[in-house]
Amino acid sequence: MDSIPMAAFAVRFRRKKHQLAVVPAVLAVLALLSVDLCPGVAAATRAGNVTNYALNGYYNPYGITRGPDGNIWFTEYNTPSAIGKITPSGMITSYPISNPPGFGPVEITSGPGGDLWFTVTGSGGYVGRITTAGTVTPVVSADSAGGIAVGRGENVWYTTASGSSGSIGRISPSGTHTTFTGTGIYLPHQITAGPDGNIWFTNYGNNTIGRITPSGVVMDFRGPGISGPEGITVGPDGALWFTNSSNNTIGRITTKGRVSNYTGAGISQPTGITAGPDGALWFTNCGNGSIGRITRSGRTVSNYTGPGVSCPAGITPGPDGTLWFANHGSASIGRITTKVTPNLAASPPAGKLRVQTSQIS
């Protein structure tokens, strides 16, 4: 399958019928017992502080997270699909999973009980979990599942982009499954636990940022420059930071609803975003194959690239001051340190940011 940014997933399933229920026993039967495929140290290429690790046999990695075992875990979207693991030294293992034909896993996060949880998109998609030993278990069916995060009380929250508006799902530690639909939910993409105890998500369908309380009360926020929002994360300043893939900007929203929007050289179809160990926000640029960095003061944006960086999607902090990212446009996983020198010959120069701010009541 061709490389597809997360934005296309929402559009693709906009007209599909929404259907969300506990996974039937037949899906559990279809789940594969995980088998290590060709574990070994990946071939690595380096340029400055950017290192790229080639995958073998699997393509289009998308979501990525640091696991409870200290390794980096990621989704491998292209058929045959898998959940992958790479150690800090570059040892890669892939665990095959069951998935609908033509679709695959998109997002992954560390969850309760020392397991990792992931989403599989498409009609017939689901939310599943995988142990650090590689045992895969489908948990609930979720057509066009997308973002996934863990909130307070070890509840697992996820988004779906099926039907006309999509939904927000919640799985309790006891296995109780609840689905939220209605006003304020418009084809949501990514999702994260906010510092205020609520869950925040990006509404790709109507260019807003959504918030849902633990009890299921939903509100969406509008503001200048929100356009095709995708990734979202909590910044070191206690605000939510997000990527606007449709207008090449980075957004910020406080828990009170104050929205700011930043533009700068080198921001090109930004997708994933995370808080870095250096106190800045780091994001992936699918449009120009680079990694971006924005200071939390909103004054400067920098842009970095390296060998094999191609339509990077997810990004996550790793050990020892590194960040790891999934190159959706190639079969590779990248790593970048937080002390880097911009490769100005291969990427746009750093630039001052322009900012628009609006108070949302």
Side-chain angles (χ1 to χ4, degrees):
M1 182 173 180
D2 293 337
S3 174
I4 303 176
M6 192 63 188
F9 291 143
V11 175
R12 165 174 279 182
F13 303 125
R14 189 184 298 270
R15 295 184 176 86
K16 287 187 179 292
K17 182 180 179 182
H18 172 64
Q19 210 172 32
L20 197 58
V22 176
V23 169
V26 64
L27 184 56
V29 173
L30 292 175
L32 297 176
L33 292 177
S34 298
V35 178
D36 291 7
L37 290 186
C38 303
V41 176
T45 53
R46 297 179 178 85
N49 288 51
V50 177
T51 305
N52 207 48
Y53 298 91
L55 302 177
N56 292 319
Y58 291 86
Y59 305 95
N60 299 130
Y62 196 90
I64 192 167
T65 192
R66 184 177 181 180
D69 57 353
N71 297 313
I72 304 301
W73 291 75
F74 53 93
T75 60
E76 297 177 271
Y77 179 86
N78 204 51
T79 304
S81 300
I83 301 298
K85 175 183 71 177
I86 182 169
T87 67
S89 63
M91 177 78 72
I92 291 179
T93 305
S94 292
Y95 304 96
I97 66 167
S98 59
N99 58 280
F103 302 101
V106 285
E107 293 296 343
I108 188 168
T109 190
S110 291
D115 294 338
L116 295 105
W117 291 67
F118 61 91
T119 55
V120 175
T121 195
S123 178
Y126 62 93
V127 176
R129 70 172 182 265
I130 181 171
T131 68
T132 55
T135 300
V136 176
T137 304
V139 180
V140 298
S141 64
D143 284 359
S144 306
I148 191 165
V150 178
R152 290 186 178 179
E154 296 191 332
N155 289 299
V156 176
W157 295 78
Y158 63 92
T159 67
T160 77
S162 62
S164 60
S165 297
S167 67
I168 302 295
R170 183 185 67 201
I171 306 170
S172 72
S174 64
T176 301
H177 179 223
T178 308
T179 303
F180 302 94
T181 60
T183 302
I185 301 174
Y186 302 93
L187 300 178
H189 270 193
Q190 301 301 328
I191 192 167
T192 192
D196 57 350
N198 297 314
I199 301 297
W200 292 74
F201 54 93
T202 53
N203 276 317
Y204 186 85
N206 74 340
N207 300 320
T208 63
I209 302 301
R211 182 189 70 194
I212 183 169
T213 67
S215 60
V217 178
V218 180
M219 181 175 183
D220 63 318
F221 299 87
R222 300 177 184 274
I226 303 179
S227 181
E230 294 206 35
I232 187 168
T233 193
V234 177
D237 56 354
L240 288 303
W241 291 72
F242 55 94
T243 58
N244 290 303
S245 63
S246 296
N247 66 1
N248 303 324
T249 64
I250 301 298
R252 176 183 181 271
I253 182 171
T254 69
T255 54
K256 300 298 183 181
R258 183 178 176 84
V259 178
S260 302
N261 194 54
Y262 303 94
T263 63
I267 304 177
S268 179
Q269 197 180 333
T271 304
I273 188 168
T274 192
D278 60 345
L281 282 301
W282 291 73
F283 55 94
T284 55
N285 286 307
C286 181
N288 62 12
S290 69
I291 304 301
R293 177 184 183 272
I294 178 174
T295 58
R296 61 181 177 181
S297 65
R299 293 181 180 274
T300 307
V301 60
S302 303
N303 198 48
Y304 311 95
T305 192
V309 182
S310 176
C311 189
I315 185 169
T316 188
D320 303 325
T322 60
L323 294 117
W324 293 73
F325 53 93
N327 284 307
H328 187 63
S330 66
S332 64
I333 298 296
R335 185 190 70 196
I336 184 171
T337 67
T338 55
K339 294 182 179 180
V340 291
T341 300
N343 184 347
L344 301 183
S347 63
K352 291 274 179 94
L353 297 175
R354 298 190 302 275
V355 59
Q356 293 174 288
T357 302
S358 175
Q359 178 69 46
I360 306 300
S361 58

